[in-house]
Amino acid sequence: MKLSIVILNYKVPHHLMLCLDSVSRAIESIDAEIIVVDNNSEDESCKLVEKNFPGVLLISNTENLGFSKGNNIGVKKAKGEFLCILNPDTVVPEDCFTKLFDHHRKVKNPGVIGVQLIDGSGEFLEESKRNIPTPQVALKKLSGNCSSYYNFNLAKEENGPTDILVGAFMFMKTKLYLNIGGFDEDYFMYGEDIDLSYRILKAGYQNYYLGSTKVLHFKGESTTKDQVYLNRFYNAMYIFFKKHFKNYKTTFKLVKQILKLTMALEKIKLKSIEIQSLKFNEIHLISENKCLQDKIKAKLNSEINVITKTSSELENAFIVIDANCLQYSDSIKVITDLKSKNNAFRIKPRNYNFMIGSESKHLKGEVIDLS
């Protein structure tokens, strides 16, 4: 088998269906398997997988084991030569994996390969390519200077080496993942991707960023931005520094104190975040489905403009993309092309009566039921 895709799910059933729909398209011509590990979501996630994707290997955990352990459980079942760790709140283009295979063949001594991640509004997610977060780099970032934390030597559309990749999308040889020991299970959530990337570098491999391939990542859909989130996030940073930079005792102590201060400030910041509701001049539907048009019209109580392609002049518009009409690669292009014009986007997956979208990486997105 060529490829195993491991998706760890936690309480995002609708995003998971959209993700699986896009992945299913992307592996139509590939000898591949999909493994979904559910971390005791206690919702309809598992039933939806069994009903709509019977070919998927579903592993249902009886408790939330965290990101590292959950993914490691899935990888143990993987049969593919290659492995992709993928978040359930992502949408991949149809040519995603064929491009990754090709790039893996071309580069020297490949470790992990990542892609250009964009959020639901089309904005680039800078964590797609990062440098090693040494204590000095972390201090600068915690003080508001991210110039050394993110890899600005590569433009977002470029392909090239980078040190650290993000756990939402990590592509590599399955053998490499297993030989390196997989994700460190000391991390419950956050930091494990930095740790894995860094261990692969230390083992003599080179990680790469493939900026020419865009993947939609709604980001944070299975995470509530609360005190538990903050504790896990900053504890993960503490584990990483203690594990890999314990010789930097003076700097490490300073980082530890600043982490505590930053955590308190972030708690205040999260409470203050408010995303203003956008006001839309028009609602556009990219589809040829009259029934879908009627459903959206009834749900939103508004007139719907049906279009077959978008215009760069669209502004302040609510744009619904029917995946039966557009490929996911084209859907991602629509979102990125119109990202700076106060537009909002919703994607309706094939064969499902809902649509999904998000205007902010800070808050959970919106699922609109069309049934």
Side-chain angles (χ1 to χ4, degrees):
M1 183 172 287
K2 186 75 170 177
L3 173 66
S4 296
I5 301 160
V6 175
I7 302 171
L8 180 68
N9 179 68
Y10 184 65
K11 295 186 176 182
V12 285
H14 295 91
H15 289 84
L16 178 61
M17 291 301 100
L18 174 59
C19 177
L20 288 173
D21 191 40
S22 71
V23 170
S24 296
R25 277 188 176 180
I27 63 171
E28 284 181 351
S29 60
I30 301 171
D31 182 17
E33 65 177 353
I34 304 171
I35 301 169
V36 171
V37 182
D38 185 77
N39 257 349
N40 195 32
S41 294
E42 297 182 325
D43 58 17
E44 67 268 41
S45 293
C46 291
K47 289 183 179 179
L48 286 173
V49 172
E50 291 171 342
K51 176 184 176 182
N52 296 296
F53 297 94
V56 166
L57 174 58
L58 175 63
I59 301 171
S60 301
N61 292 330
T62 56
E63 60 180 305
N64 183 1
L65 299 174
F67 186 87
S68 294
K69 188 173 288 188
N71 273 296
N72 286 345
I73 288 171
V75 176
K76 286 178 182 178
K77 298 290 185 180
K79 299 175 183 177
E81 176 189 358
F82 288 88
L83 170 70
C84 182
I85 301 293
L86 186 66
N87 268 27
D89 55 350
T90 56
V91 178
V92 303
E94 285 76 5
D95 60 358
C96 178
F97 299 115
T98 54
K99 285 187 173 181
L100 283 160
F101 293 139
D102 184 57
H103 195 66
H104 194 278
R105 285 192 299 269
K106 291 178 179 179
V107 295
K108 183 179 179 181
N109 201 27
V112 183
I113 301 178
V115 295
Q116 181 185 160
L117 296 173
I118 62 167
D119 68 13
S121 67
E123 292 296 331
F124 172 62
L125 295 173
E126 291 182 321
E127 62 266 27
S128 300
K129 49 183 179 67
R130 291 169 285 178
N131 298 315
I132 300 169
T134 64
Q136 294 93 330
V137 170
L139 282 173
K140 289 175 68 176
K141 184 177 187 298
L142 291 170
S143 65
N145 183 351
C146 297
S147 61
S148 299
Y149 184 77
Y150 299 115
N151 182 359
F152 292 116
N153 291 327
L154 277 177
K156 64 182 181 180
E157 304 286 343
E158 281 187 301
N159 304 331
T162 197
D163 293 329
I164 306 298
L165 296 160
V166 63
F169 191 107
M170 302 183 90
F171 177 88
M172 72 201 86
K173 283 285 189 77
T174 306
K175 185 177 180 180
L176 172 61
Y177 184 94
L178 295 172
N179 287 346
I180 214 74
F183 286 124
D184 184 339
E185 295 181 7
D186 284 346
Y187 300 89
F188 183 84
M189 192 170 187
Y190 307 113
E192 62 285 302
D193 50 357
I194 297 175
D195 182 88
L196 181 69
S197 298
Y198 187 49
R199 283 188 284 127
I200 288 174
L201 286 175
K202 289 170 71 175
Y205 297 89
Q206 176 62 61
N207 299 326
Y208 290 92
Y209 168 74
L210 189 62
S212 57
T213 294
K214 295 185 181 71
V215 168
L216 179 61
H217 180 208
F218 290 109
K219 192 175 180 181
E221 293 301 324
S222 58
T223 306
T224 302
K225 300 295 191 295
D226 55 12
Q227 186 63 42
V228 174
Y229 155 78
L230 290 172
N231 287 337
R232 288 174 178 168
F233 182 81
Y234 288 104
N235 185 57
M237 296 179 71
Y238 176 76
I239 293 171
F240 180 77
F241 294 134
K242 188 175 181 180
K243 177 179 177 180
H244 295 289
F245 297 99
K246 58 185 176 182
N247 292 330
Y248 291 66
K249 291 183 179 179
T250 303
T251 308
F252 179 69
K253 288 179 181 178
L254 183 57
V255 168
K256 187 177 178 181
Q257 293 302 315
I258 293 180
L259 279 175
K260 290 181 179 179
L261 175 61
T262 307
M263 183 173 165
L265 294 173
E266 281 294 314
K267 184 178 179 182
I268 297 171
K269 181 181 175 181
L270 286 174
K271 287 184 177 180
S272 66
I273 289 177
E274 292 183 5
I275 304 300
Q276 295 184 349
S277 297
L278 299 176
K279 294 182 179 180
F280 306 112
N281 296 331
E282 297 177 313
I283 299 176
H284 298 281
L285 169 63
I286 305 175
S287 179
E288 299 173 353
N289 188 332
K290 181 65 168 60
C291 181
L292 177 59
Q293 178 188 358
D294 294 338
K295 283 183 178 181
I296 296 175
K297 180 178 179 179
K299 189 70 177 181
L300 301 182
N301 193 27
S302 177
E303 291 299 318
I304 307 294
N305 298 314
V306 178
I307 56 178
T308 55
K309 61 180 180 179
T310 57
S311 166
S312 60
E313 297 179 358
L314 283 179
E315 292 187 46
N316 300 313
F318 188 91
I319 301 169
V320 180
I321 303 169
D322 180 7
N324 281 302
C325 182
L326 279 190
Q327 288 195 325
Y328 284 112
S329 57
D330 294 325
S331 302
I332 293 170
K333 187 176 187 304
V334 166
I335 293 172
T336 53
D337 286 350
L338 299 176
K339 67 181 175 62
S340 302
K341 302 194 176 185
N342 293 321
N343 296 305
F345 307 93
R346 299 293 181 268
I347 299 177
K348 183 200 170 293
R350 300 177 296 174
N351 307 317
Y352 301 100
N353 282 318
F354 63 85
M355 53 187 183
I356 290 178
S358 172
E359 276 69 73
S360 169
K361 64 182 180 182
H362 298 292
L363 298 176
K364 287 182 178 294
E366 179 183 45
V367 177
I368 299 177
D369 185 6
L370 298 173
S371 57

